[in-house]
Amino acid sequence: MNQKEVEVLELIRRNPYLSQQEMAERLNMSRPSLANFISNLMRQGKILGRAYVLPEEKTVISIGGANVDRKFLMDRPAQMGTSNPASVSGSVGGVARNVAENLGRLGHSVKLLSIVGNDPEWNLIEAASSPFMSTELTKAMDGLSTGTYTAILEPDGEMLLAMADMKIYDSLTPDHISKNDSTLLSAAFLVIDLNCPLETVEYVRQLALANKIPLAVIPVSAPKMDRLGKDLAGISWLILNRDEASKFLQIPIESMDDWHKAAQQLLDQGAEAVVITGGKDGAIAGNSEGIRHYHAMQVDHVADVTGAGDAFSSAIVHSVMDGQEFESVIHSGMVNAAKTLESNATVRHELTAILLQKELEELQ
């Protein structure tokens, strides 16, 4: 091999997913010249093939939790230390799965990458999810139990207490994720929740950063904020609530000034865009062009708070992929969250891209 062939081979070894044009620019040669070098290397048996990976149109890969949710709605305000009358309902959930269903209903091609038990709970999740997403990347494991989430709701729908059995996601390791690298590299957008271990979140963040793939990170709860590393470079959208931001930054967020400073700190740590939600107080959102407060939409009746945060995040991803301006992106999240609060379903069944756009226009 001559020196140029050695340089071409080494570049392909480092990143087999580069296009010929990208390789030619890095090696300071024309694309036709590069093509000749690649042909020569293939004839020599040094290259067995090329991994040309193209983004799939509007395909999102959602990585993280896929659970069975159970909700106990109290008949009367809770009394501790005694039995409380309540009605129970069950549904499928999990942040990554809920986001995937929202996006599927909004018209996107979505793939769910999760890990579940080989059990009836997974059968329930798969049956409910498959109309809206591909589950081919989700692995059913013998000897493990599918994640479960149980919420106790006050009569007005506000959450009193929630319990989660998510030990199965400890098996969602970088080694497990890396088996799907070619699929991840072909995604138009990646979403990951913090059910995943720290090492896995870091692996996906670095993959997104190196390959310039948009990435949204969605925390699950404040106790899981230690699964997000301090370097936020590569995160296109970090969407979290005030408790989660406070836990991650180790600062109180009580005033509007605190809220604003928290968003700026997250941007300073590398995130491209940050949204910190505050329920009825609205949200603070910003990027390199500035940070501002957005008022929450009025909700006449809260049927169930479960899934509202996932609806917010999903509408943001949808609107970004749709090419909307920053302000419209945030308003889309607000609308979908508010409408989900008014629904008994974790993911509202009437949701479509056309409906969301109509709701957004009515808001404006």
Side-chain angles (χ1 to χ4, degrees):
M1 291 190 298
N2 61 38
Q3 182 59 34
K4 280 295 184 183
E5 287 174 340
V6 171
E7 292 175 7
V8 171
L9 189 60
E10 179 59 27
L11 185 57
I12 291 174
R13 181 177 291 113
R14 290 201 305 268
N15 191 344
Y17 299 99
L18 289 173
S19 68
Q20 283 196 4
Q21 184 60 45
E22 289 172 319
M23 293 173 62
E25 291 172 357
R26 295 192 186 192
L27 295 169
N28 196 27
M29 65 174 68
S30 68
R31 196 190 64 77
S33 296
L34 174 70
N36 287 334
F37 283 120
I38 290 176
S39 295
N40 290 336
L41 289 168
M42 292 180 73
R43 283 195 293 271
Q44 296 173 41
K46 302 296 185 181
I47 300 175
L48 300 181
R50 285 281 293 136
Y52 296 110
V53 178
L54 300 175
E56 299 180 48
E57 185 67 20
K58 290 191 173 182
T59 296
V60 183
I61 299 179
S62 191
I63 308 165
N67 316 320
V68 171
D69 291 349
R70 295 183 177 88
K71 304 172 192 175
F72 289 81
L73 180 63
M74 311 287 291
D75 291 348
R76 296 187 294 273
Q79 297 183 48
M80 297 297 119
T82 187
S83 177
N84 289 263
S87 56
V88 62
S89 61
S91 63
V92 298
V95 172
R97 197 221 68 87
N98 289 347
V99 168
E101 183 177 339
N102 271 278
L103 289 170
R105 289 182 181 274
L106 287 166
H108 297 274
S109 169
V110 190
K111 295 182 179 180
L112 175 67
L113 201 172
S114 187
I115 191 164
V116 294
N118 191 7
D119 52 28
E121 284 76 16
W122 165 234
N123 295 336
L124 178 65
I125 293 170
E126 186 174 32
S129 304
S130 56
F132 311 104
M133 69 197 76
S134 166
T135 59
E136 63 182 285
L137 303 181
T138 297
K139 177 71 172 176
M141 305 284 288
D142 292 328
L144 296 177
S145 298
T146 297
T148 59
Y149 169 87
T150 302
I152 301 174
L153 308 176
E154 293 279 16
D156 62 0
E158 289 293 332
M159 184 188 299
L160 174 68
L161 179 69
M163 296 161 287
D165 178 4
M166 307 294 176
K167 292 187 289 293
I168 190 170
Y169 301 122
D170 292 342
S171 299
L172 200 55
T173 62
D175 285 344
H176 181 86
I177 294 289
S178 66
K179 296 173 184 177
N180 300 286
D181 271 0
S182 61
T183 305
L184 295 174
L185 289 166
S186 73
F189 213 111
L190 298 174
V191 176
I192 189 167
D193 73 31
L194 296 191
N195 280 307
C196 301
L198 170 64
E199 296 78 13
T200 302
V201 177
E202 276 296 288
Y203 179 85
V204 172
R205 182 188 67 82
Q206 291 178 22
L207 182 145
L209 178 63
N211 296 279
K212 299 180 180 178
I213 304 170
L215 169 66
V217 174
I218 306 171
V220 175
S221 62
K224 292 187 177 181
M225 289 308 298
D226 59 0
R227 300 185 179 193
L228 181 63
K230 298 303 179 183
D231 186 354
L232 306 181
I235 298 176
S236 309
W237 286 83
L238 178 59
I239 307 165
L240 67 174
N241 64 34
R242 278 183 297 194
D243 287 344
E244 292 159 350
S246 177
K247 177 73 172 180
F248 180 72
L249 296 169
Q250 294 296 296
I251 60 172
I253 302 177
E254 298 171 351
S255 67
M256 185 63 69
D257 189 51
D258 294 338
W259 205 352
H260 190 284
K261 288 178 179 178
Q264 187 61 59
Q265 284 190 43
L266 294 169
L267 291 170
D268 291 342
Q269 288 181 226
E272 292 179 32
V274 171
V275 186
I276 305 177
T277 61
K280 297 175 182 178
D281 295 328
I284 283 280
N287 55 18
S288 60
E289 297 181 0
I291 300 170
R292 60 162 285 194
H293 176 255
Y294 293 80
H295 293 285
M297 280 189 61
Q298 182 177 345
V299 177
D300 295 329
H301 171 69
V302 175
D304 188 349
V305 298
T306 308
D310 304 334
F312 182 90
S313 301
S314 306
I316 284 180
V317 172
H318 163 73
S319 300
V320 170
M321 295 181 72
D322 197 40
Q324 296 183 28
E325 297 295 328
F326 190 88
E327 186 169 301
S328 181
V329 167
I330 305 303
H331 284 152
S332 294
M334 294 285 197
V335 169
N336 203 31
K339 297 299 183 181
T340 301
L341 284 169
E342 294 174 345
S343 170
N344 288 313
T346 301
V347 180
R348 55 187 180 125
H349 297 166
E350 71 276 14
L351 178 63
T352 65
I354 293 174
L355 177 62
L356 183 61
Q357 184 59 34
K358 180 181 177 182
E359 293 166 341
L360 181 60
E361 290 170 357
E362 290 173 351
L363 170 66
Q364 297 172 335

